[in-house]
Amino acid sequence: MISQLQKAATILIMATLPFLMSACSDSAHNAESGQGLFQDVINVSIQTSPDKPALNLPVEISASVSQGGEAVNDAKEVEFELWKWGETNHETLQGKHQGEGVYSIEKEFPTEGIYYVVAHVSARGMHNMPRRQLVVGNVSEKEIAKAKADPNQSTHEH
C-alpha cells in the first residue's frame, strides 16, 4: 500500500515535470540563438595606424570587436573617448563600422603628450571598455612612467 507521503511526492513530481522539461528546451533554444547564460563575452582590442601617432598628422584609431572568435558586425554602439593625461577635458567620437568587426575614427593630435583612448563598445547585451595609452611626439620615458603610475589617469567622466 502506498503511503500518503509517497502519493504526494508522486503528484508533485508529475506536476513539475512539464515545467522542468520546458525550461530545458528554452535553455537549449537560447544557447543556440546566443541568448543563454553561457554566451561568450565580447572582446575588444584597440589599434592605431600608424602605430606611433605623430603630431598634427591623421591617425586612424580602430577597435576590433569579436565574440567567440567571430567578428561582431552588429555592435549597438562604438564610441571612442580621448583625453590628454593631466587634463579634465574629454572628447567622445562615434566609431564608423568598416566591416569585419572593425570600427574606427580618424584623429589628429595638436600637441605632444600622453593621451588615453577608451573604446566604449556595447554589443549583444554586453559592454566592454578597454583603454590604451598613446604617446604623441617626443615624450620622455620618465614622463611615460609617471603617467602610468598616476592613479588618476584612469578616471574619466561621462
Side-chain angles (χ1 to χ4, degrees):
M1 187 156 208
I2 299 177
S3 73
Q4 290 288 36
L5 186 56
Q6 288 176 325
K7 272 186 178 179
T10 303
I11 291 171
L12 181 62
I13 290 171
M14 297 303 282
T16 58
L17 192 58
F19 294 109
L20 291 173
M21 292 188 68
S22 69
C24 291
S25 85
D26 285 347
S27 295
H29 171 73
N30 287 342
E32 289 173 12
S33 66
Q35 301 298 317
L37 294 174
F38 302 107
Q39 185 176 358
D40 290 333
V41 297
I42 57 170
N43 294 307
V44 181
S45 66
I46 301 170
Q47 297 88 29
T48 61
S49 180
D51 192 44
K52 186 167 172 25
L55 194 62
N56 292 315
L57 292 175
V59 177
E60 181 180 48
I61 302 171
S62 61
S64 295
V65 185
S66 64
Q67 182 182 42
E70 301 285 326
V72 172
N73 293 310
D74 59 349
K76 184 177 179 181
E77 180 178 72
V78 178
E79 291 181 338
F80 293 88
E81 179 182 9
L82 298 115
W83 71 97
K84 187 174 181 182
W85 175 59
E87 295 184 5
T88 58
N89 192 20
H90 294 227
E91 178 181 18
T92 302
L93 301 168
Q94 287 291 120
K96 292 185 174 90
H97 185 230
Q98 305 299 325
E100 301 298 315
V102 176
Y103 301 80
S104 67
I105 60 169
E106 193 172 278
K107 174 73 178 159
E108 287 185 23
F109 296 94
T111 58
E112 290 184 332
I114 299 167
Y115 290 83
Y116 290 94
V117 59
V118 173
H120 295 271
V121 179
S122 295
R124 302 178 180 176
M126 296 179 215
H127 188 75
N128 193 338
M129 44 190 278
R131 182 187 65 226
R132 181 170 172 188
Q133 182 186 69
L134 305 175
V135 177
V136 178
N138 296 318
V139 179
S140 72
E141 290 298 320
K142 184 178 178 181
E143 192 161 1
I144 293 169
K146 187 177 172 184
K148 284 184 179 178
D150 183 359
N152 296 318
Q153 61 88 19
S154 65
T155 61
H156 58 278
E157 297 175 9
H158 291 273

